[in-house]
Amino acid sequence: TILFDLPESAPVTLTVHDIQGRLLTERTLSGQLGRNTLTLSLADDLQNTTGILTYTLAVGQERLSKRMTVVAR
């Protein structure tokens, strides 16, 4: 689950890459003013990839990149 806040409603693009830089998913969504929650599916969004992944949220010219660790249950 990825949480992020927006100062106004705007389109948001999420990209997720594995540690080798391969694109796993790219989604565009309608971000809402305030707190937003995005839940990713291991099978559908991450192609069953576990380990350290990098995600980037882009809103207009602003970009935020972070790492996340995905562990299979």
Side-chain angles (χ1 to χ4, degrees), residues 37-71:
T37 303
L38 178 61
T39 302
L40 299 173
S41 163
L42 182 62
D44 296 332
D45 296 311
L46 303 179
Q47 301 174 26
N48 292 313
T49 303
T50 58
I52 299 172
L53 306 178
T54 302
Y55 68 89
T56 300
L57 292 167
V59 180
Q61 298 298 317
E62 300 288 326
R63 295 197 185 314
L64 171 70
S65 294
K66 291 196 169 197
R67 289 184 184 166
M68 64 180 164
T69 302
V70 177
V71 180

Side-chain angles (χ1 to χ4, degrees), residues 3 9 13 19 23 28 30 32 43-44 48 59 62-63 70 72:
L3 301 172
S9 297
T13 301
I19 198 72
L23 179 64
T28 300
S30 298
Q32 303 301 313
D44 296 332
N48 292 313
V59 180
E62 300 288 326
R63 295 197 185 314
V70 177

Side-chain angles (χ1 to χ4, degrees), residues 14-26:
L14 167 78
T15 55
V16 180
H17 292 85
D18 67 13
I19 198 72
Q20 296 171 335
R22 290 181 295 221
L23 179 64
L24 299 175
T25 193
E26 182 172 4

